Amino acid sequence: MNRHHIAARVAGLTQSEIRAMTRACNAVGGINMGQGVCDVPAELLIKEAAKTAIDSDISLYTRFDGEERLRRALAHKFTNYNKVNYNFENEICVTLGASGAFACALTALLNAGDEILMFEPFYGYHWNTAYIAGLNPVPIPLAPPDFAFDVELIRSRITPKTRAILVNTPGNPSGKVFSRAELETIAAICIEFDLLCLTDEVYEYLTFDTEHVSMASLPGMRERTVTMGSYSKTFSITGWRIGYAAASEPLARAIGMVNDLYYNCAPAPLQRAVAVGIETYGPEFYTDLAKTYRKKRDIFCELLTEIGLDPIVPKGAYYVLADNRRLGAANAKDAAMKLLHESGVAAIAGSAFYTGETGEGLLRFCVAKSDEDLARACDQLRNWGNKH
Ligand SMILES: Cc1ncc(COP(=O)(O)O)c(C=O)c1O
């Protein structure tokens, strides 16, 4: 390979730790609790809706920002669940997952060299996507176990180049759910320093005994916030690639323009199927979903405590960060490899989510597994715990 043929902004990147761990896990036939793939089957209703859409020849490009039925369904969801009104006609753009929403928003709204604040631990894709968009991500440490932030530290990291702050609530990998008061504090900073707020809410329905608050619903924030989400996690359809960005009209227009240029539109029949899902499911579908994941979280956190890999019990999303020191490894990657080889269960090294040392003491497990796989993983880890 001639390195001169690779763009400088990409040459410095390695493919995500998460994918590398998946390969290592497959090589030993292990149980993959590393990748954030929810491997429970998609709902029958949605699958049938997708088949019907294909059979009805919904196979052409939709409007660049998504088919009307899905945009209307999303606007309705925003009003009822997120408590913020977006006009389906010009303030919602259907994208290729929340990942597509983020990439388009960065390209549409920020300039190369701009700084974007990101709470740490962060989702690696956020960090690296910002990097390849030519931005400089700046970490704001969240202190475990409750992942509180220091408002003075945020202020101290703001420079004349700072243009935006990213909020991910509920957060991956921390499971942090930002409280209303915390969001109000961040909102006040955004207003004071005239920052954009990009908010990734893909786990919006997965909170445990805590309300989900959308930044855009706070006073003064709708005009400077881009709300990003998707149905990857909610409907267990990570491979369908249906997500969205919602923002005030000028921002949404710019995001839509980039989405159009890069992708034309999201997959047409799958947009329709997601619209049918949103129209059909009542609130109990989403509360049941949270209950299901809460149960998985509780089972797994109990097991981690039992085997001495102490968990930081998450308030939302479907990941658990755990203390890896009991493995006695030199760093988090070695700890993850050791655990995989000794127990047959794959986790992700905590270092994938931090710029500094903090992540070296952590592992991240994804509990979005079927009950059978989760039980098998618990058995294997319990056996490991008994032997080591
Ligand atoms: C915080 C966060 N945002 C976005 C994504 C990707 O979502 P999508 O499939 O909608 O692109 C993930 C997936 O793990 C995630 O954890």
Side-chain angles (χ1 to χ4, degrees):
M1 181 188 78
N2 184 342
R3 282 188 72 80
H4 298 299
H5 292 165
I6 308 292
R9 65 181 179 277
V10 173
L13 296 179
T14 49
Q15 208 181 16
S16 124
E17 187 65 25
I18 299 177
R19 298 215 183 283
M21 202 58 198
T22 295
R23 279 195 299 276
C25 180
N26 291 341
V28 301
I31 302 175
N32 193 353
M33 296 190 75
Q35 200 164 2
V37 166
C38 153
D39 50 16
V40 293
E43 292 289 319
L44 191 61
L45 177 127
I46 312 227
K47 292 197 275 199
E48 290 302 327
K51 287 182 219 168
T52 305
I54 290 170
D55 288 341
S56 325
D57 292 317
I58 298 186
S59 38
L60 303 180
Y61 297 132
T62 63
R63 211 173 87 168
F64 68 95
D65 53 359
E67 72 149 7
E68 180 172 330
R69 195 159 155 188
L70 179 53
R71 284 183 285 109
R72 277 185 186 275
L74 287 168
H76 194 251
K77 170 203 91 93
F78 270 115
T79 301
N80 289 310
Y81 184 67
N82 307 89
K83 312 294 178 214
V84 50
N85 294 322
Y86 287 115
N87 185 339
F88 77 90
E89 200 42 75
N90 53 14
E91 295 189 316
I92 293 176
C93 179
V94 176
T95 55
L96 275 79
S99 311
F102 187 53
C104 290
L106 294 180
T107 307
L109 308 178
L110 300 174
N111 295 310
D114 285 349
E115 290 172 7
I116 175 167
L117 304 175
M118 285 191 197
F119 291 101
E120 179 181 60
F122 45 74
Y123 170 54
Y125 276 61
H126 285 152
W127 189 272
N128 286 331
T129 307
Y131 180 77
I132 61 171
L135 308 171
N136 293 319
V138 174
I140 307 288
L142 293 173
D146 60 351
F147 298 107
F149 59 84
D150 174 352
V151 67
E152 288 315 314
L153 190 100
I154 301 184
R155 290 174 158 279
S156 72
R157 301 230 163 146
I158 294 175
T159 75
K161 291 192 166 170
T162 311
R163 294 274 320 284
I165 184 163
L166 176 77
V167 174
N168 174 209
T169 183
N172 172 9
S174 64
K176 179 180 174 69
V177 178
F178 284 75
S179 69
R180 187 176 291 277
E182 286 176 319
L183 292 174
E184 281 168 357
T185 303
I186 298 167
I189 290 184
C190 288
I191 292 166
E192 181 182 344
F193 292 93
D194 195 18
L195 305 181
L196 277 169
C197 182
L198 305 184
T199 157
D200 178 333
E201 303 181 17
V202 291
Y203 300 103
E204 63 183 342
Y205 293 111
L206 300 184
T207 61
F208 315 125
D209 301 328
T210 315
E211 68 164 342
H212 170 71
V213 181
S214 288
M215 182 62 102
S217 70
L218 299 187
M221 288 307 289
R222 185 183 178 286
E223 304 311 310
R224 58 176 67 248
T225 298
V226 179
T227 308
M228 303 172 294
S230 86
Y231 281 83
S232 287
K233 319 285 175 176
T234 308
F235 289 168
S236 303
I237 49 169
T238 50
W240 285 24
R241 314 309 302 129
I242 302 294
Y244 53 84
S248 60
E249 194 274 334
L251 305 185
R253 187 170 356 116
I255 293 169
M257 198 145 33
V258 176
N259 189 57
D260 186 10
L261 289 171
Y262 279 173
Y263 311 115
N264 286 295
C265 67
L270 306 184
Q271 288 191 47
R272 171 59 58 87
V274 169
V276 170
I278 302 173
E279 289 163 1
T280 310
Y281 292 128
E284 63 290 344
F285 173 87
Y286 303 98
T287 46
D288 284 353
L289 192 71
K291 275 190 209 148
T292 303
Y293 282 107
R294 188 204 168 111
K295 205 167 125 210
K296 293 180 196 290
R297 175 200 72 166
D298 289 346
I299 290 170
F300 196 67
C301 285
E302 215 169 284
L303 178 277
L304 287 174
T305 307
E306 186 186 318
I307 62 172
L309 298 176
D310 292 334
I312 302 171
V313 180
K315 296 272 192 332
Y318 53 45
Y319 305 93
V320 181
L321 285 172
D323 188 329
N324 70 30
R325 281 173 300 181
R326 162 126 160 42
L327 282 142
N331 56 45
K333 269 191 199 168
D334 287 358
M337 278 302 166
K338 194 161 182 242
L339 190 67
L340 174 63
H341 288 114
E342 291 179 359
S343 73
V345 176
I348 301 296
S351 45
F353 312 103
Y354 285 87
T355 50
E357 287 296 300
T358 316
E360 296 298 353
L362 298 169
L363 290 176
R364 189 200 75 177
F365 295 87
C366 170
V367 299
K369 311 298 292 177
S370 66
D371 287 346
E372 296 72 34
D373 283 351
L374 189 64
R376 256 187 337 120
C378 286
D379 285 347
Q380 290 181 207
L381 287 168
R382 191 172 287 113
N383 285 341
W384 171 84
N386 289 338
K387 276 197 241 142
H388 293 84

